[in-house]
Amino acid sequence: MPAPNFDVIVSLAKRRGFVFPSSEIYGGMAGFWDYGPLGVELKNNIKAAWWRHMVHLRDDVVGLDASIVMNPRVWEASGHVAGFSDPMVDCRSCKNRFREDDLKGKPSEIACPNCGNRGTLTEARQFNLMFATHVGPVADTASVAYLRPETAQAMFVQFENVATSMRRKLPFGIAQIGRSFRNEITPGNFIFRLREFEQMEMEFFVHPRDEDRWFAHWVEARHAWWTDVLGISDERLRLRPHEADELSHYSKQTTDIEYEYPIGWSELEGVADRTDFDLRAHAAGSGKKLEVFDEEANEHIVPYVIEPAMGVDRAFLTVLVDGYTEEQLEKEKRVVLRIRPELAPIKAAVMPLLRNRSELVERARALTADLKRLVPAMYDDTASIGKLYRRQDEIGTPFCVTVDVESLDDGAATIRERDSMTQERVSLDLVPGRVADLVAGRTGWQGVPRE
Ligand code: ATP
């Protein structure tokens, strides 16, 4: 099935409580979105999967959670105050704004892509993407500070504190998950390009001689994470090395991991070789030495940095787009969000076959409580079983557990698996453990088709 278009995803996301427009009752705000009850669960699961693989399963990466507002000198030294800008073009007629690199030609020679008028586009001027604010009671130039446009700089600025307190030797990495802010000229495509978003970045410090080896390692490791851990289809992923003329000012080589969205191939994550650019810039800015001792060469060196950097919101969008499937059943169409059980907001939904039989309702509620101790689970009896299954399929719940009249005699319930729709009959007291094992992948599914 081809990737669904964004409208389908935006509508599902809103209808089922994944993502809402920010401050919607006031008309929303371009570039800002809120994660609803199911969205926050999915987002947390994506972040946990990243943290587990980048930090917990490795012994050469540690974490950091830095403040969003930092000393403004950080952004002077990093080059963001002078250079973190996009070329902006205005239309004098319809007042729309564009990024010059999105236009198909020179502003003076083409018609406005919005209103179609000719000769109305201005020349490009540089527009700094950092949100500025003021710290303290006086709003003057001395109190200007910025909301960070990337999380990476904190890892460079705290490099020495982390290395010393954790007794790190090269190679080692510092990982961080946190909000970033960019005053994007053209936010849009749902949560693809936001003005407030979340990033997961890891700065991996290596000896300069090992730069290429670690760059190749991280490109491969990050690609494998998307397919093996998040379960994203490999045929919709590709690696795209940057051409020399598109490299960022700090980068010697960059490879993007791109996904084939309904809007075309676009960046999901970038792996950049930042060399010693940042540590040297902050050493110059702060007057501190940001070096490590290399025992082999018996000298102090400034490490090189390999950086895998990605956006949580884009990962979220990718999981929704990639998981969305429509299937034609005998009598009806079903929408299934085929996402890994590990990512699903709810792992199991319990439902009594008949909601007017109090014994069934009681057992189902008790079972839900038992399940909740092990995995996120919910009880639902607000519709017929068929409808309840469809609702759970649409939000990606991997298992539904039905308590039926037979359960009163045999003390068992039916577990139904989302993708195959096959079923297992399992003793009620074993259901929570079985579901937890299945979700964690500790055991395989052995369902049989429904009679
Ligand atoms: P672009 O050139 O498209 O503006 P970028 O190359 O500057 O983006 P990076 O600075 O490399 O992006 O950011 C790393 C990751 O952060 C991106 O791969 C993306 O997943 C995410 N990201 C960047 N900007 C945004 C944004 N405005 N909204 C959502 N996610 C973003």
Side-chain angles (χ1 to χ4, degrees), residues 373-385:
R373 279 186 211 109
L374 299 186
V375 292
M378 66 175 280
Y379 171 88
D380 197 0
D381 67 5
T382 56
S384 68
I385 285 290

mmCIF file with all atom_site columns, all heavy atoms in Angstrom, residues 373-385:
data_model
loop_
_atom_site.group_PDB
_atom_site.id
_atom_site.type_symbol
_atom_site.label_atom_id
_atom_site.label_alt_id
_atom_site.label_comp_id
_atom_site.label_asym_id
_atom_site.label_entity_id
_atom_site.label_seq_id
_atom_site.pdbx_PDB_ins_code
_atom_site.Cartn_x
_atom_site.Cartn_y
_atom_site.Cartn_z
_atom_site.occupancy
_atom_site.B_iso_or_equiv
_atom_site.pdbx_formal_charge
_atom_site.auth_seq_id
_atom_site.auth_comp_id
_atom_site.auth_asym_id
_atom_site.auth_atom_id
_atom_site.pdbx_PDB_model_num
ATOM 1   N N   . ARG A 1 373 ? -1.046  -3.436 36.086 1.00 0.00 ? 373 ARG A N   1
ATOM 2   C CA  . ARG A 1 373 ? 0.176   -3.495 36.903 1.00 0.00 ? 373 ARG A CA  1
ATOM 3   C C   . ARG A 1 373 ? 1.391   -3.843 36.046 1.00 0.00 ? 373 ARG A C   1
ATOM 4   O O   . ARG A 1 373 ? 2.519   -3.563 36.414 1.00 0.00 ? 373 ARG A O   1
ATOM 5   C CB  . ARG A 1 373 ? 0.009   -4.527 38.017 1.00 0.00 ? 373 ARG A CB  1
ATOM 6   C CG  . ARG A 1 373 ? -0.756  -3.946 39.166 1.00 0.00 ? 373 ARG A CG  1
ATOM 7   C CD  . ARG A 1 373 ? -0.826  -4.884 40.362 1.00 0.00 ? 373 ARG A CD  1
ATOM 8   N NE  . ARG A 1 373 ? -2.088  -4.610 41.013 1.00 0.00 ? 373 ARG A NE  1
ATOM 9   C CZ  . ARG A 1 373 ? -3.132  -5.411 41.017 1.00 0.00 ? 373 ARG A CZ  1
ATOM 10  N NH1 . ARG A 1 373 ? -3.050  -6.594 40.461 1.00 0.00 ? 373 ARG A NH1 1
ATOM 11  N NH2 . ARG A 1 373 ? -4.241  -5.038 41.608 1.00 0.00 ? 373 ARG A NH2 1
ATOM 12  N N   . LEU A 1 374 ? 1.157   -4.471 34.912 1.00 0.00 ? 374 LEU A N   1
ATOM 13  C CA  . LEU A 1 374 ? 2.281   -4.892 34.060 1.00 0.00 ? 374 LEU A CA  1
ATOM 14  C C   . LEU A 1 374 ? 2.461   -4.037 32.807 1.00 0.00 ? 374 LEU A C   1
ATOM 15  O O   . LEU A 1 374 ? 3.590   -3.780 32.382 1.00 0.00 ? 374 LEU A O   1
ATOM 16  C CB  . LEU A 1 374 ? 2.101   -6.356 33.640 1.00 0.00 ? 374 LEU A CB  1
ATOM 17  C CG  . LEU A 1 374 ? 2.065   -7.393 34.764 1.00 0.00 ? 374 LEU A CG  1
ATOM 18  C CD1 . LEU A 1 374 ? 2.028   -8.795 34.179 1.00 0.00 ? 374 LEU A CD1 1
ATOM 19  C CD2 . LEU A 1 374 ? 3.286   -7.261 35.671 1.00 0.00 ? 374 LEU A CD2 1
ATOM 20  N N   . VAL A 1 375 ? 1.348   -3.645 32.192 1.00 0.00 ? 375 VAL A N   1
ATOM 21  C CA  . VAL A 1 375 ? 1.429   -2.873 30.933 1.00 0.00 ? 375 VAL A CA  1
ATOM 22  C C   . VAL A 1 375 ? 0.290   -1.856 30.895 1.00 0.00 ? 375 VAL A C   1
ATOM 23  O O   . VAL A 1 375 ? -0.733  -2.055 31.552 1.00 0.00 ? 375 VAL A O   1
ATOM 24  C CB  . VAL A 1 375 ? 1.299   -3.791 29.684 1.00 0.00 ? 375 VAL A CB  1
ATOM 25  C CG1 . VAL A 1 375 ? 2.489   -4.715 29.528 1.00 0.00 ? 375 VAL A CG1 1
ATOM 26  C CG2 . VAL A 1 375 ? -0.008  -4.566 29.711 1.00 0.00 ? 375 VAL A CG2 1
ATOM 27  N N   . PRO A 1 376 ? 0.431   -0.780 30.103 1.00 0.00 ? 376 PRO A N   1
ATOM 28  C CA  . PRO A 1 376 ? -0.686  0.147  29.935 1.00 0.00 ? 376 PRO A CA  1
ATOM 29  C C   . PRO A 1 376 ? -1.872  -0.584 29.288 1.00 0.00 ? 376 PRO A C   1
ATOM 30  O O   . PRO A 1 376 ? -1.736  -1.141 28.201 1.00 0.00 ? 376 PRO A O   1
ATOM 31  C CB  . PRO A 1 376 ? -0.126  1.222  29.008 1.00 0.00 ? 376 PRO A CB  1
ATOM 32  C CG  . PRO A 1 376 ? 1.355   1.147  29.179 1.00 0.00 ? 376 PRO A CG  1
ATOM 33  C CD  . PRO A 1 376 ? 1.646   -0.306 29.426 1.00 0.00 ? 376 PRO A CD  1
ATOM 34  N N   . ALA A 1 377 ? -2.997  -0.613 29.994 1.00 0.00 ? 377 ALA A N   1
ATOM 35  C CA  . ALA A 1 377 ? -4.162  -1.344 29.498 1.00 0.00 ? 377 ALA A CA  1
ATOM 36  C C   . ALA A 1 377 ? -5.411  -0.525 29.759 1.00 0.00 ? 377 ALA A C   1
ATOM 37  O O   . ALA A 1 377 ? -5.387  0.429  30.538 1.00 0.00 ? 377 ALA A O   1
ATOM 38  C CB  . ALA A 1 377 ? -4.263  -2.696 30.203 1.00 0.00 ? 377 ALA A CB  1
ATOM 39  N N   . MET A 1 378 ? -6.511  -0.864 29.074 1.00 0.00 ? 378 MET A N   1
ATOM 40  C CA  . MET A 1 378 ? -7.761  -0.143 29.313 1.00 0.00 ? 378 MET A CA  1
ATOM 41  C C   . MET A 1 378 ? -8.951  -1.085 29.221 1.00 0.00 ? 378 MET A C   1
ATOM 42  O O   . MET A 1 378 ? -8.878  -2.162 28.630 1.00 0.00 ? 378 MET A O   1
ATOM 43  C CB  . MET A 1 378 ? -7.935  0.998  28.319 1.00 0.00 ? 378 MET A CB  1
ATOM 44  C CG  . MET A 1 378 ? -8.125  0.532  26.885 1.00 0.00 ? 378 MET A CG  1
ATOM 45  S SD  . MET A 1 378 ? -8.480  1.921  25.766 1.00 0.00 ? 378 MET A SD  1
ATOM 46  C CE  . MET A 1 378 ? -10.232 2.172  26.106 1.00 0.00 ? 378 MET A CE  1
ATOM 47  N N   . TYR A 1 379 ? -10.030 -0.651 29.847 1.00 0.00 ? 379 TYR A N   1
ATOM 48  C CA  . TYR A 1 379 ? -11.283 -1.399 29.801 1.00 0.00 ? 379 TYR A CA  1
ATOM 49  C C   . TYR A 1 379 ? -12.228 -0.640 28.889 1.00 0.00 ? 379 TYR A C   1
ATOM 50  O O   . TYR A 1 379 ? -12.253 0.585  28.898 1.00 0.00 ? 379 TYR A O   1
ATOM 51  C CB  . TYR A 1 379 ? -11.859 -1.468 31.220 1.00 0.00 ? 379 TYR A CB  1
ATOM 52  C CG  . TYR A 1 379 ? -13.260 -2.018 31.276 1.00 0.00 ? 379 TYR A CG  1
ATOM 53  C CD1 . TYR A 1 379 ? -13.486 -3.390 31.379 1.00 0.00 ? 379 TYR A CD1 1
ATOM 54  C CD2 . TYR A 1 379 ? -14.366 -1.162 31.229 1.00 0.00 ? 379 TYR A CD2 1
ATOM 55  C CE1 . TYR A 1 379 ? -14.776 -3.894 31.413 1.00 0.00 ? 379 TYR A CE1 1
ATOM 56  C CE2 . TYR A 1 379 ? -15.661 -1.660 31.267 1.00 0.00 ? 379 TYR A CE2 1
ATOM 57  C CZ  . TYR A 1 379 ? -15.858 -3.029 31.361 1.00 0.00 ? 379 TYR A CZ  1
ATOM 58  O OH  . TYR A 1 379 ? -17.134 -3.520 31.389 1.00 0.00 ? 379 TYR A OH  1
ATOM 59  N N   . ASP A 1 380 ? -12.995 -1.359 28.075 1.00 0.00 ? 380 ASP A N   1
ATOM 60  C CA  . ASP A 1 380 ? -13.973 -0.656 27.236 1.00 0.00 ? 380 ASP A CA  1
ATOM 61  C C   . ASP A 1 380 ? -15.186 -1.547 26.996 1.00 0.00 ? 380 ASP A C   1
ATOM 62  O O   . ASP A 1 380 ? -15.038 -2.720 26.641 1.00 0.00 ? 380 ASP A O   1
ATOM 63  C CB  . ASP A 1 380 ? -13.339 -0.257 25.896 1.00 0.00 ? 380 ASP A CB  1
ATOM 64  C CG  . ASP A 1 380 ? -14.155 0.827  25.173 1.00 0.00 ? 380 ASP A CG  1
ATOM 65  O OD1 . ASP A 1 380 ? -15.192 1.262  25.715 1.00 0.00 ? 380 ASP A OD1 1
ATOM 66  O OD2 . ASP A 1 380 ? -13.741 1.244  24.073 1.00 0.00 ? 380 ASP A OD2 1
ATOM 67  N N   . ASP A 1 381 ? -16.374 -0.974 27.232 1.00 0.00 ? 381 ASP A N   1
ATOM 68  C CA  . ASP A 1 381 ? -17.589 -1.738 26.923 1.00 0.00 ? 381 ASP A CA  1
ATOM 69  C C   . ASP A 1 381 ? -18.626 -0.837 26.260 1.00 0.00 ? 381 ASP A C   1
ATOM 70  O O   . ASP A 1 381 ? -19.816 -1.070 26.341 1.00 0.00 ? 381 ASP A O   1
ATOM 71  C CB  . ASP A 1 381 ? -18.171 -2.388 28.190 1.00 0.00 ? 381 ASP A CB  1
ATOM 72  C CG  . ASP A 1 381 ? -18.695 -1.356 29.184 1.00 0.00 ? 381 ASP A CG  1
ATOM 73  O OD1 . ASP A 1 381 ? -18.699 -0.141 28.882 1.00 0.00 ? 381 ASP A OD1 1
ATOM 74  O OD2 . ASP A 1 381 ? -19.118 -1.762 30.282 1.00 0.00 ? 381 ASP A OD2 1
ATOM 75  N N   . THR A 1 382 ? -18.126 0.222  25.595 1.00 0.00 ? 382 THR A N   1
ATOM 76  C CA  . THR A 1 382 ? -19.058 1.241  25.100 1.00 0.00 ? 382 THR A CA  1
ATOM 77  C C   . THR A 1 382 ? -19.609 0.941  23.697 1.00 0.00 ? 382 THR A C   1
ATOM 78  O O   . THR A 1 382 ? -20.288 1.784  23.130 1.00 0.00 ? 382 THR A O   1
ATOM 79  C CB  . THR A 1 382 ? -18.365 2.626  25.065 1.00 0.00 ? 382 THR A CB  1
ATOM 80  O OG1 . THR A 1 382 ? -17.192 2.502  24.258 1.00 0.00 ? 382 THR A OG1 1
ATOM 81  C CG2 . THR A 1 382 ? -17.995 3.094  26.441 1.00 0.00 ? 382 THR A CG2 1
ATOM 82  N N   . ALA A 1 383 ? -19.297 -0.223 23.156 1.00 0.00 ? 383 ALA A N   1
ATOM 83  C CA  . ALA A 1 383 ? -19.848 -0.566 21.834 1.00 0.00 ? 383 ALA A CA  1
ATOM 84  C C   . ALA A 1 383 ? -19.827 -2.081 21.684 1.00 0.00 ? 383 ALA A C   1
ATOM 85  O O   . ALA A 1 383 ? -19.402 -2.797 22.604 1.00 0.00 ? 383 ALA A O   1
ATOM 86  C CB  . ALA A 1 383 ? -19.016 0.092  20.739 1.00 0.00 ? 383 ALA A CB  1
ATOM 87  N N   . SER A 1 384 ? -20.268 -2.559 20.517 1.00 0.00 ? 384 SER A N   1
ATOM 88  C CA  . SER A 1 384 ? -20.228 -4.004 20.265 1.00 0.00 ? 384 SER A CA  1
ATOM 89  C C   . SER A 1 384 ? -18.774 -4.437 20.105 1.00 0.00 ? 384 SER A C   1
ATOM 90  O O   . SER A 1 384 ? -17.908 -3.614 19.788 1.00 0.00 ? 384 SER A O   1
ATOM 91  C CB  . SER A 1 384 ? -20.993 -4.318 18.991 1.00 0.00 ? 384 SER A CB  1
ATOM 92  O OG  . SER A 1 384 ? -20.279 -3.775 17.898 1.00 0.00 ? 384 SER A OG  1
ATOM 93  N N   . ILE A 1 385 ? -18.514 -5.734 20.296 1.00 0.00 ? 385 ILE A N   1
ATOM 94  C CA  . ILE A 1 385 ? -17.142 -6.246 20.217 1.00 0.00 ? 385 ILE A CA  1
ATOM 95  C C   . ILE A 1 385 ? -16.474 -5.885 18.888 1.00 0.00 ? 385 ILE A C   1
ATOM 96  O O   . ILE A 1 385 ? -15.332 -5.432 18.860 1.00 0.00 ? 385 ILE A O   1
ATOM 97  C CB  . ILE A 1 385 ? -17.135 -7.781 20.403 1.00 0.00 ? 385 ILE A CB  1
ATOM 98  C CG1 . ILE A 1 385 ? -17.367 -8.115 21.870 1.00 0.00 ? 385 ILE A CG1 1
ATOM 99  C CG2 . ILE A 1 385 ? -15.832 -8.394 19.935 1.00 0.00 ? 385 ILE A CG2 1
ATOM 100 C CD1 . ILE A 1 385 ? -16.210 -7.757 22.774 1.00 0.00 ? 385 ILE A CD1 1
#
